[in-house]
Amino acid sequence: MKHLLKLEGMKEAEARIILGFAQAAKKNRGRKCSASEALAGQIWALIFTKASTRTRVSFEVAIREMGGVPTFLSAAEIQLGRGELVRDTARVMGRMVHGAVIRTFAQADVAEFAEFAKIPTINALTDDEHPCQILSDIFTIEEKRGAIRGKKIAFIGDAACNVPRSLVEAAKIFGFSLACGAPKEFRPAKTGDGVSWTEDPEEAASGADVLYTDVWVSMGKEAEAEMREKVFAPYQINQKLVAKAKKDALVLHCLPAYRGKEISAQILEERSQDIFDQAENRLHTQKGILEWIVSK
Ligand code: CP
Ligand code: NVA
């Protein structure tokens, strides 16, 4: 049985199967094809402890378009929110549904769920990783700029949070270099294997093929908002920073975006075609992940 709990340790060949399925799903959307029946007769639970727009909707639509039925469970509205153990919730789910997509805080909870539910389990974001997002972003970069191997991706902002943590793992898998421009307290957890860190956002952005950012205040970090907004103030993707990257550099944002914080309103609007294509690709890539996970 397969799970997608993290990118750490994933082989490029496996990731390429997912991206291949995603490409076909995008091309064949609305047509009858093998992917459109891959979840026939299956019920998939979406168990979310944190807010979500893109991940929730893309999985709900993907599951339906693949012949399955999604059931969305806000953790606050099931007994999990009142203290029922993850392992007990998992044992129940495993007897009733065919797969689970989980968004929560602790990575250990997703791993425990997979262990006890014994059904394919997908990490839809934890504090450690956001693997579905980054697989989708690789898809977007290659769709718009060709093979990612050898390219320079600059991540600007909170390089210690889930999205860049998955990017760090992806750099190893796909062979691109990742330059993080981040304050010391928010530097990447790992460097080496193509991953570098500098406190200077302009140095990170210099000559980059892709500029990427995420929110300064991740879900669960709201109490630190005031401190974070001060520390991250020099780490905004704006016109000045974009000028340091390659002329045809792509600007990406996993979204939601906070204009005037991690990205200027001007750049967000100027680059909205690419950024919202990036969001759309979440749907196609979720289908790739689902098809891969249920395939033998
Ligand atoms: N990028 C992303 O995961 O968005 P949501 O939080 O809206 O799912
Ligand atoms: N780092 C952000 C990603 C949101 C998709 C968060 O965890 O809130």
Side-chain angles (χ1 to χ4, degrees):
M1 181 187 305
K2 284 180 269 186
H3 303 294
L4 179 60
L5 304 182
K6 52 187 183 174
L7 288 190
E8 190 184 3
M10 189 175 227
K11 297 272 173 288
E12 183 175 4
E14 287 292 283
R16 289 282 168 204
I17 293 171
I18 294 174
L19 298 182
F21 283 148
Q23 205 172 19
K26 184 164 187 174
K27 191 166 144 245
N28 294 325
R29 186 160 192 224
R31 281 190 234 149
K32 204 133 185 78
C33 60
S34 60
S36 62
E37 294 302 329
L39 300 187
Q42 297 202 6
I43 317 283
W44 277 64
L46 272 65
I47 307 171
F48 281 42
T49 308
K50 293 174 173 172
S52 173
T53 300
R54 280 142 290 268
T55 309
R56 174 179 175 175
V57 177
S58 59
F59 268 114
E60 290 198 25
V61 172
I63 291 164
R64 281 190 195 281
E65 290 189 358
M66 293 172 76
V69 175
T71 177
F72 182 81
L73 302 165
S74 158
E77 289 166 17
I78 58 174
Q79 299 292 3
L80 188 67
R82 298 181 64 249
E84 186 170 18
L85 295 182
V86 169
R87 64 183 57 197
D88 293 350
T89 307
R91 284 163 164 141
V92 174
M93 293 293 164
R95 284 164 164 83
M96 296 187 184
V97 302
H98 301 86
V101 179
I102 301 180
R103 171 169 284 202
T104 192
F105 294 89
Q107 180 72 25
D109 285 348
V110 182
E112 183 174 328
F113 186 98
E115 183 189 343
F116 284 88
K118 299 185 170 51
I119 52 175
T121 301
I122 297 172
N123 172 0
L125 180 147
T126 61
D127 289 344
D128 281 15
E129 277 219 35
H130 197 358
C132 302
Q133 176 74 53
I134 298 305
L135 285 170
S136 182
D137 296 338
I138 304 297
F139 180 91
T140 301
I141 293 166
E142 295 204 322
E143 181 181 53
K144 291 182 178 288
R145 294 290 188 274
I148 197 165
R149 185 162 295 277
K151 288 204 170 20
K152 176 179 177 181
I153 316 295
F155 180 88
I156 309 298
D158 178 3
C161 78
N162 41 23
V163 166
R165 283 171 82 126
S166 286
L167 259 181
V168 165
E169 300 304 330
K172 239 181 291 177
I173 299 168
F174 293 97
F176 59 86
S177 71
L178 176 66
C180 298
K184 199 152 119 222
E185 311 87 294
F186 298 98
R187 63 184 180 274
K190 300 180 194 165
T191 49
D193 277 326
V195 179
S196 61
W197 165 67
T198 166
E199 268 188 291
D200 178 359
E202 294 195 354
E203 187 189 326
S206 169
D209 297 282
V210 179
L211 292 179
Y212 194 130
T213 191
D214 182 7
V215 297
W216 288 344
V217 184
S218 282
M219 290 179 278
K221 302 291 182 195
E222 292 77 7
E224 299 174 4
E226 208 183 312
M227 174 275 283
R228 283 171 174 260
E229 283 177 14
K230 273 195 202 117
V231 176
F232 286 119
Y235 298 88
Q236 182 187 72
I237 295 190
N238 51 31
Q239 226 175 355
K240 194 164 163 249
L241 202 70
V242 170
K244 302 285 170 198
K246 276 195 182 149
K247 237 189 154 81
D248 67 340
L250 196 56
V251 175
L252 296 180
H253 192 316
C254 58
L255 303 174
Y258 293 87
R259 290 163 172 78
K261 308 281 191 209
E262 75 279 357
I263 191 163
S264 67
Q266 185 192 355
I267 296 295
L268 195 277
E269 292 303 332
E270 276 176 18
R271 303 306 188 105
S272 59
Q273 184 66 48
D274 288 332
I275 291 171
F276 289 93
D277 284 349
Q278 177 190 9
E280 178 195 319
N281 282 337
R282 298 294 309 281
L283 168 63
H284 311 303
T285 311
Q286 311 303 32
K287 288 184 179 172
I289 292 165
L290 290 163
E291 194 173 352
W292 166 79
I293 221 163
V294 297
S295 64
K296 293 277 175 273

